[in-house]
């Protein structure tokens, strides 16, 4: 199901905009000039084989990796990266970094819930200590979110006592708790047992249906085809093919994208 | 066995118990507070901080606590006593008393041992825990206070409890610099009554009871916040 028709795209505000992004780890250039845009309500999916740079790109958006060159804007915050001498990543203005991160809700492949806190404490942590929300309000919102991801009963449980699927749903609630402008998902189902993948995808699908802006790295191709408004196929650090899912999945222009898609298809 | 002396000497024993507990609590409190910067310096990229902290840890862990107490009490203490400004200051009543020299020695010792322990604990916190903190916009300070340190402490809890018990027993060294802690009290009883075993067995039992209390309190804490699913 296509959620967004191409012609109304220009009317929606830009949530994340990346231009000419470069990132190297030592000698290895992982991103070689990536440009990408997500408007309000977009679900942008990054696909590609491992090593194509899609996770690095996602991690550059919330600055867990600092790009070497290019520009990144999230809402009104914009950072221009200029390479510093000696090949070190550029130093960033910590206020800007914080401003960007406060607008992004990150969901990790390995959940990364804080082990020493209960599920509820995990969810109210950033609202309380980063966003300055009052405790009662944060708890109230956290409970709503937990009900939404089906974990209300587990609110006082420590992460170690939850299944992978439950941990990931809690992690999604934690990301939603800061009212993010954009949700970032870094292979959210790759660390899960196959029977737990569905429950997490369902939560993400619900978010897509609500019109949430999301950027998603995934290997779940049929899921990507269903929820995305825009798909970008990354290969060796560049966007090799992009467009609406119908185009990328059914009528790719690039030979590599065609191979990748049909290989995934054969697997499924 | 003759315990008839207890009726006469119990105030001394009680005073000794109070001083032992005070040494334990103050030594642990100041020691753990100092252990945090020691550990942080030990994992800092700054080479000066790293080597300073490393030298401190090596020197303190490589010398007997008794020697450290003597150096502070007889060395620094005598130096202070020879300084008129110190003798006339309001701190002199405290600086004369062996008690505070022992508190400082214990705190330094705890800082070195627990600093090294905490360093290992901090390094073993999974990277993802800290990455999540950063991704949600936490500053380094907030991340350390809310995520990194608590997470490390949770892991180290059993070891910290064991070390607190060791610290309890180290406080007995205070009796060597004229502090009337539990052992000091037992010694007083012995000189007055010429009994050998009874006073020592009595304080030994008290140490055991305090140890049991420390471990059961720790047990309560770790049951309340489990580290891992069993």
């Amino acid at each position: 199901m296509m959620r967004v028709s191409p012609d109304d795209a220009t009317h929606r505000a830009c949530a994340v905009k990346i231009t000419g992004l470069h990132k190297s780890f030592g000698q290895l250039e992982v991103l070689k000039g990536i440009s990408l845009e997500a408007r309000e309500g977009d679900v942008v999916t990054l696909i590609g084989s491992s090593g194509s740079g899609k996770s690095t790109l996602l991690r550059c958006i919330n600055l867990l990796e600092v790009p070497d060159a290019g520009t990144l804007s999230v809402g009104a915050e914009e950072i221009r990266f200029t390479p510093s001498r000696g090949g070190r990543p550029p130093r960033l203005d910590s206020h800007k970094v914080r401003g960007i991160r406060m607008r992004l809700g990150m969901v990790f492949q390995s959940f990364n819930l804080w082990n020493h806190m209960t599920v509820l404490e995990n969810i109210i942590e950033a609202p309380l200590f980063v966003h300055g929300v009052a405790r009662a309000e944060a708890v109230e919102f956290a409970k709503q979110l937990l009900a939404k991801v089906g974990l209300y009963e587990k609110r006082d449980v420590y992460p170690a006592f939850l299944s992978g699927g439950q941990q990931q749903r809690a992690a999604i609630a934690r990301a939603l708790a800061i009212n993010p402008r954009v949700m970032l998902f870094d292979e959210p189902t790759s660390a899960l047992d196959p029977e737990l993948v569905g429950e997490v995808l369902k939560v993400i699908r619900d978010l897509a249906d609500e019109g949430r802006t999301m950027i998603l790295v995934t290997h779940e191709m049929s899921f990507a085809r269903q929820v995305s408004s825009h798909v970008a196929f990354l290969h060796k650090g560049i966007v090799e093919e992009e467009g609406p899912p119908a185009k990328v999945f059914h009528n790719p222009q690039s030979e590599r994208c065609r191979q990748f898609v049909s290989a995934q298809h054969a697997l499924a | 066995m003759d315990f008839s002396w207890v009726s006469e000497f119990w105030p001394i024993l009680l005073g000794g118990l109070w001083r032992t507990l005070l040494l334990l609590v103050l030594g642990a409190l100041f020691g753990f507070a100092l252990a945090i910067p020691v550990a942080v310096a030990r994992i800092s990229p700054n080479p000066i901080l790293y080597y300073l902290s490393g030298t401190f840890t090596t020197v303190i862990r490589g010398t007997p606590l008794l020697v450290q107490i003597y150096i502070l009490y007889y060395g620094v203490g005598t130096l202070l006593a020879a300084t008129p400004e110190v003798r006339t200051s309001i701190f002199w009543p405290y600086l004369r008393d062996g008690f505070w020299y022992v508190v400082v020695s214990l705190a330094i010792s705890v800082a070195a041992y627990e600093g090294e322990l905490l360093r290992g604990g901090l390094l073993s916190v999974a990277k993802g825990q800290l990455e999540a903190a950063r991704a949600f916009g936490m500053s380094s300070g907030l991340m350390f206070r809310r995520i990194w340190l608590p997470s490390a402490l949770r892991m180290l809890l059993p070891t910290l409890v064991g070390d607190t018990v060791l610290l309890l027993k180290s406080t007995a060294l205070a009796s060597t610099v004229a502090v009337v802690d539990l052992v000091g009290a037992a010694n007083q009883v012995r000189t007055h009554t010429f009994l050998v075993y009874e006073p020592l067995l009595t304080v030994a039992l008290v140490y055991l009871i305090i140890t049991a209390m420390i471990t059961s309190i720790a047990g309560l804490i770790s049951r309340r916040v489990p580290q891992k699913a069993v």
Side-chain angles (χ1 to χ4, degrees):
Chain A
M1 185 185 68
M2 289 273 298
R3 302 186 322 107
V4 171
S5 63
D7 37 287
D8 82 329
T10 44
H11 301 300
R12 288 173 289 125
C14 190
V16 170
K17 191 177 165 76
I18 297 162
T19 31
L21 212 66
H22 286 261
K23 173 69 185 173
S24 299
F25 294 109
Q27 295 299 307
L28 182 70
E29 193 176 18
V30 182
L31 302 180
K32 302 169 182 166
I34 301 253
S35 298
L36 197 73
E37 190 181 73
R39 290 178 175 274
E40 293 288 348
D42 273 353
V43 177
V44 176
T45 308
L46 308 176
I47 61 170
S49 47
S50 51
S52 60
K54 54 196 191 306
S55 276
T56 305
L57 174 59
L58 195 77
R59 292 165 58 84
C60 279
I61 296 174
N62 66 4
L63 301 165
L64 285 177
E65 304 293 350
V66 180
D68 302 317
T71 58
L72 164 71
S73 55
V74 176
E77 296 279 357
E78 186 183 87
I79 296 191
R80 187 178 304 274
F81 305 97
T82 43
S84 61
R85 276 176 300 157
R88 270 175 308 184
R91 286 189 67 85
L92 302 176
D93 175 354
S94 59
H95 286 283
K96 267 193 175 174
V97 172
R98 189 160 169 268
I100 283 182
R101 287 176 174 165
M102 283 173 74
R103 290 173 168 81
L104 300 170
M106 177 77 168
V107 176
F108 295 89
Q109 181 179 346
S110 47
F111 332 132
N112 294 348
L113 289 171
W114 295 305
N115 291 325
H116 61 292
M117 299 178 184
T118 63
V119 168
L120 186 82
E121 287 166 350
N122 261 280
I123 295 172
I124 61 175
E125 180 71 11
L128 284 187
F129 293 96
V130 181
H131 295 253
V133 176
R135 177 172 286 269
E137 194 184 325
V139 169
E140 192 45 47
F141 189 38
K143 285 180 175 170
Q144 286 174 27
L145 291 170
L146 281 170
K148 181 188 180 118
V149 300
L151 286 176
Y152 186 77
E153 284 73 31
K154 299 284 184 186
R155 62 192 180 281
D156 294 324
V157 172
Y158 286 85
F161 292 88
L162 298 177
S163 75
Q166 290 171 329
Q167 288 192 51
Q168 193 61 299
R169 284 186 281 143
I172 292 172
R174 174 176 69 171
L176 289 169
I178 63 167
N179 264 322
R181 187 98 191 254
V182 181
M183 287 284 281
L184 306 177
F185 292 87
D186 187 8
E187 302 195 24
T189 58
S190 296
L192 295 177
D193 293 335
E195 73 270 21
L196 301 176
V197 168
E199 61 187 69
V200 172
L201 291 186
K202 183 187 175 301
V203 170
I204 301 174
R205 193 191 309 264
D206 289 346
L207 294 175
D209 291 343
E210 285 170 18
R212 231 171 227 290
T213 316
M214 310 201 273
I215 302 177
L216 178 71
V217 172
T218 187
H219 290 291
E220 300 285 335
M221 288 306 139
S222 61
F223 180 73
R225 191 161 36 203
Q226 290 161 21
V227 302
S228 308
S229 55
H230 189 89
V231 179
F233 169 72
L234 268 71
H235 182 73
K236 291 186 173 167
I238 61 162
V239 178
E240 174 103 2
E241 175 103 30
E242 66 176 314
K247 172 176 172 275
V248 174
F249 285 108
H250 301 298
N251 188 22
Q253 303 303 300
S254 122
E255 182 54 34
R256 287 212 184 76
C257 186
R258 201 193 318 275
Q259 282 171 6
F260 179 80
V261 169
S262 60
Q264 297 292 327
H265 212 73
L267 285 174
Chain B
M1 289 270 172
D2 173 13
F3 285 97
S4 56
W5 52 273
V6 173
S7 57
E8 187 187 340
F9 287 98
W10 66 265
I12 295 182
L13 281 178
L14 211 61
L17 172 64
W18 167 244
R19 250 164 245 121
T20 290
L21 287 177
L22 215 56
L23 285 171
L24 173 69
V25 170
L26 292 175
L29 229 57
F30 290 131
F32 285 129
L34 273 173
I36 295 171
V38 169
V40 171
R42 221 36 200 144
I43 54 177
S44 116
N46 181 329
I48 298 170
L49 287 178
Y50 175 83
Y51 283 112
L52 268 179
S53 167
T55 310
F56 169 77
T57 305
T58 308
V59 168
I60 298 302
R61 295 207 308 173
T63 51
L65 179 57
L66 185 60
V67 173
Q68 294 163 17
I69 292 176
Y70 279 1
I71 289 174
L72 266 185
Y73 185 68
Y74 294 113
V76 178
T78 313
L79 224 65
L80 289 176
T83 318
E85 291 83 0
V86 175
R87 293 194 73 123
T88 53
S89 79
I90 49 162
F91 300 112
W92 181 239
Y94 303 104
L95 292 173
R96 259 172 57 181
D97 190 351
F99 180 84
W100 292 102
Y101 293 88
V102 178
V103 168
V104 171
S105 306
L106 289 175
I108 289 175
S109 174
V110 170
Y113 279 97
E114 306 315 313
E116 195 61 16
L117 180 74
L118 189 56
R119 182 193 75 101
L122 289 171
L123 289 178
S124 66
V125 171
K127 273 208 162 63
Q129 301 273 303
L130 307 182
E131 216 161 56
R134 253 180 276 128
F136 281 93
M138 289 193 190
S139 64
S140 316
L142 185 64
M143 174 177 82
F144 186 78
R145 197 160 52 81
R146 295 290 311 168
I147 309 294
W148 205 357
L149 184 62
S151 189
L153 289 179
R154 186 64 32 81
M155 257 188 291
L156 296 174
L157 189 64
T159 320
L160 289 173
V161 174
D163 288 1
T164 308
V165 172
L166 286 178
L167 176 65
L168 167 68
K169 291 178 290 182
S170 302
T171 60
L173 291 174
S175 63
T176 63
V177 290
V179 175
V180 188
D181 69 331
L182 272 176
V183 176
N187 286 339
Q188 287 198 352
V189 173
R190 287 166 65 196
T191 46
H192 283 94
T193 60
F194 303 110
L195 290 168
V196 179
Y197 296 113
E198 289 85 343
L200 289 175
L201 286 173
T202 306
V203 297
L205 183 68
V206 176
Y207 279 112
L208 262 178
I209 293 170
I210 305 175
T211 300
M213 280 162 54
I214 294 173
T215 33
S216 61
I217 291 170
L220 282 179
I221 300 174
S222 58
R223 256 196 302 284
R224 227 167 56 89
V225 270
Q227 170 65 21
K228 275 205 174 71
V230 216

